[in-house]
């Protein structure tokens, strides 16, 4: 079973700053199966990126995803007030979904 | 536009049963897999089950296999989760999500707002 770890657990930044979130898989995976979700307090998660780097409909272009093998990154180029949230990476494989523990991006 | 609305959550005693529903609109149900995902209070996301558009295939997380059953009624545009032998650790917000599958990959592209299940005596 592949395990996803995310770092850091919490990222404290100011609006306008760049955020870099990491997702690491316990073994090499295809980037096709890696997605990122955003969850704001009291709301359902929302798909941001699939296939490691393809933005979902409605995802602003300040969000970008990259990576391959075991290491994947979600980058927010300039944080907007609405971007402060929890971000989860997710892997699909063996007919199941696996989520990472999440990274909280909060206001410094 | 795609909308998913869950219902059926509530307070249930350990060992009890509950049936969750998810009503979908804005897409053809038979064209999409559907999933249930849960989130315990203050915790992360846990996928628990999905079902194909024709109901021919379903899979479950080990944590619920044998206790939970996923089903759907495309004529009613509805997804269900029958939960039996409930435990305190099943307490969570339960989300349904449209599951877009293509080329061997699936993603959870639309989510409902969730329904809260609390298992407590």
């Amino acid at each position: 079973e592949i395990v996803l770890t995310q770092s850091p657990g919490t990222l404290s930044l100011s609006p306008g700053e760049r955020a870099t979130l990491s997702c690491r898989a316990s073994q090499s995976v295809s980037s096709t199966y890696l997605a990122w979700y955003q969850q704001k307090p009291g709301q359902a998660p929302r798909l941001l990126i699939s296939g490691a780097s393809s933005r979902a409909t409605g995802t602003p272009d300040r969000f970008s995803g990259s990576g391959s093998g075991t290491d994947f990154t979600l980058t927010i180029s300039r944080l907007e007030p609405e971007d402060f949230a929890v971000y989860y990476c997710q892997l699909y494989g063996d007919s199941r979904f696996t989520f990472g523990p999440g990274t909280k991006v909060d206001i410094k | 536009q795609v909308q998913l609305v869950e219902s059926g959550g509530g307070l249930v005693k350990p060992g009890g049963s509950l049936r969750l529903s998810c009503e979908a609109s804005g897409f053809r149900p038979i064209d999409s897999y559907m999933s249930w995902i849960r989130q315990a209070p203050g915790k992360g996301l846990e996928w628990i089950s999905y079902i194909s558009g024709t109901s021919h295939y379903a899979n479950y997380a080990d944590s619920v296999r044998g206790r939970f059953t996923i089903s759907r009624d495309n004529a009613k545009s509805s997804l269900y989760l029958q939960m039996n032998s409930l435990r305190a650790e099943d307490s969570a917000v339960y989300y349904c999500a449209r599951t877009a599958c293509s080329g061997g990959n699936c993603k959870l592209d639309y989510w409902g707002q969730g329904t809260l299940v609390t298992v407590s005596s």
Side-chain angles (χ1 to χ4, degrees):
Chain A
E1 179 186 343
I2 299 176
V3 176
L4 298 177
T5 55
Q6 292 185 244
S7 61
T10 301
L11 194 54
S12 296
L13 294 168
S14 300
E17 288 194 293
R18 181 184 188 90
T20 303
L21 288 66
S22 173
C23 175
R24 177 163 289 179
S26 57
Q27 58 186 272
S28 184
V29 300
S30 169
S31 60
T32 300
Y33 304 111
L34 197 287
W36 290 92
Y37 298 81
Q38 176 193 64
Q39 186 177 33
K40 298 179 184 179
Q43 296 186 17
R46 165 196 166 200
L47 176 66
L48 281 181
I49 285 176
S50 62
S53 60
S54 296
R55 281 186 291 273
T57 303
T59 300
D61 60 8
R62 63 181 180 273
F63 291 89
S64 63
S66 63
S68 63
T70 59
D71 293 307
F72 298 89
T73 301
L74 175 68
T75 302
I76 310 171
S77 59
R78 287 179 56 85
L79 282 164
E80 297 287 340
E82 61 268 27
D83 299 337
F84 292 92
V86 179
Y87 293 84
Y88 296 94
C89 59
Q90 170 256 301
L91 181 68
Y92 178 74
D94 293 330
S95 299
R96 63 184 63 236
F97 295 82
T98 302
F99 289 94
T103 290
K104 182 178 183 180
V105 178
D106 66 13
I107 300 176
K108 189 174 183 179
Chain B
Q1 73 278 25
V2 174
Q3 285 195 311
L4 301 167
V5 180
E6 302 93 338
S7 61
L11 176 63
V12 61
K13 289 181 168 51
S17 297
L18 208 57
R19 189 196 196 204
L20 305 183
S21 300
C22 169
E23 187 170 338
S25 60
F27 64 100
R28 279 188 6 126
I30 199 169
D31 290 342
S32 294
Y33 278 61
M34 294 292 294
S35 292
W36 288 101
I37 305 99
R38 67 184 179 185
Q39 186 170 36
K43 302 297 184 183
L45 300 169
E46 180 189 15
W47 170 83
I48 55 175
S49 183
Y50 78 166
I51 187 169
S52 65
T54 58
S55 301
H56 286 164
Y57 182 76
N59 198 25
Y60 299 88
D62 292 343
S63 59
V64 304
R65 189 184 305 275
R67 299 188 299 124
F68 290 11
T69 302
I70 192 171
S71 63
R72 63 192 298 168
D73 183 340
N74 289 339
K76 296 182 178 179
S77 296
S78 291
L79 174 73
Y80 306 103
L81 186 68
Q82 177 66 43
M83 305 187 295
N84 297 333
S85 303
L86 282 161
R87 307 165 180 167
E89 55 265 36
D90 294 318
S91 296
V93 173
Y94 284 72
Y95 296 102
C96 67
R98 193 180 81 164
T99 306
C101 295
S102 175
N105 186 33
C106 296
K107 58 190 176 184
L108 306 163
D109 63 351
Y110 290 92
W111 296 59
Q113 283 304 300
T115 188
L116 177 63
V117 173
T118 303
V119 184
S120 174
S121 54

